Amino acid sequence: MCSSDLIIDDIFDLQDEVALEIARALDVELRAGVSAQLFPKVSSTLARELFLRAISHFYKGTQTDTHAARELLLEFDEIEPEIPLCLGLISATHWRDAKFGWTDDFIDSVNKAHGYAQRAIDLGDPEGLGYTIMANILLHKNEHEQALTASVEAHDRRPSCPLANGLYAEVLQYVGKPDEAIGRIKDAMGLDRKSTRLNSSHQIISYAV
């Protein structure tokens, strides 16, 4: 390796360290309920960059950005194949396609969402995103008891997430527990006022159905 290559490597290493220090100092949540604690699990600098770029697209929420996020996350998955949060996010992109009509094959999108959510769950799903999407899918299939189980798991992992609370409320309503559902939706609305992840309580419901 020539000296110029070493200098370039040093620059990228320095940039990476600066980004991580900023993330640690600010305790950045990356809008997905995960702090900079994710990064020690990811050895590849390229994978870290891909993830951050993907998150930026994912939370813009448009069809174009959702698909751009998925492409980046799939690249990430090739490099770091056992990161549950990445798998949960890929699952979420497929679920968005199915839910919002951004696909020519609804069943294929649901199946892909299910598959990636299951992979996240099989790896423990510490951030709870896999369980969140799985609960959505099960609710859509009218498998209410299974959806309730998945939504409890999601809520246990994401207690301060308005989406998880909104979903939990929706499932409780379907299984005949309206009083508990009201409590959860109040929690979701309260969390939403404090959160930058969603813009309104209406979005909590629209994302959770």
Side-chain angles (χ1 to χ4, degrees), residues 110-121:
V110 172
N111 288 339
K112 286 177 178 176
H114 184 283
Y116 280 103
Q118 189 61 59
R119 279 183 63 191
I121 290 168

Side-chain angles (χ1 to χ4, degrees), residues 10 20 97 104 109 122 145 164 200:
D10 288 342
L20 287 174
D97 279 353
D104 294 326
S109 292
D122 290 343
E145 292 299 328
S200 68

Side-chain angles (χ1 to χ4, degrees), residues 83-139:
I83 303 297
L85 178 59
C86 174
L87 299 171
L89 288 166
I90 295 172
S91 173
T93 68
H94 286 295
W95 181 244
R96 278 185 185 174
D97 279 353
K99 178 184 170 184
F100 296 121
W102 296 342
T103 176
D104 294 326
D105 192 333
F106 175 85
I107 293 175
D108 181 63
S109 292
V110 172
N111 288 339
K112 286 177 178 176
H114 184 283
Y116 280 103
Q118 189 61 59
R119 279 183 63 191
I121 290 168
D122 290 343
L123 290 167
D125 194 28
E127 295 84 17
L129 191 54
Y131 277 111
T132 300
I133 302 303
M134 185 64 76
N136 272 277
I137 294 169
L138 292 168
L139 185 61

Side-chain angles (χ1 to χ4, degrees), residues 13-116:
D13 287 343
L14 178 59
Q15 288 176 333
D16 189 45
E17 287 302 316
V18 169
L20 287 174
E21 286 304 318
I22 292 172
R24 292 189 186 103
L26 297 177
D27 194 27
V28 176
E29 289 191 344
L30 301 181
R31 293 182 167 186
V34 61
S35 71
Q37 293 175 353
L38 168 73
F39 286 128
K41 304 174 187 176
V42 178
S43 59
S44 167
T45 301
L46 174 59
R48 296 175 187 181
E49 178 187 345
L50 289 168
F51 184 83
L52 291 171
R53 288 168 57 199
I55 286 292
S56 176
H57 283 290
F58 183 86
Y59 281 98
K60 291 176 182 176
T62 68
Q63 179 179 358
T64 299
D65 282 298
T66 294
H67 292 171
R70 181 161 63 231
E71 292 304 312
L72 293 165
L73 290 164
L74 288 170
E75 289 185 56
F76 178 100
D77 187 43
E78 290 182 2
I79 301 170
E80 299 279 354
E82 296 189 354
I83 303 297
L85 178 59
C86 174
L87 299 171
L89 288 166
I90 295 172
S91 173
T93 68
H94 286 295
W95 181 244
R96 278 185 185 174
D97 279 353
K99 178 184 170 184
F100 296 121
W102 296 342
T103 176
D104 294 326
D105 192 333
F106 175 85
I107 293 175
D108 181 63
S109 292
V110 172
N111 288 339
K112 286 177 178 176
H114 184 283
Y116 280 103

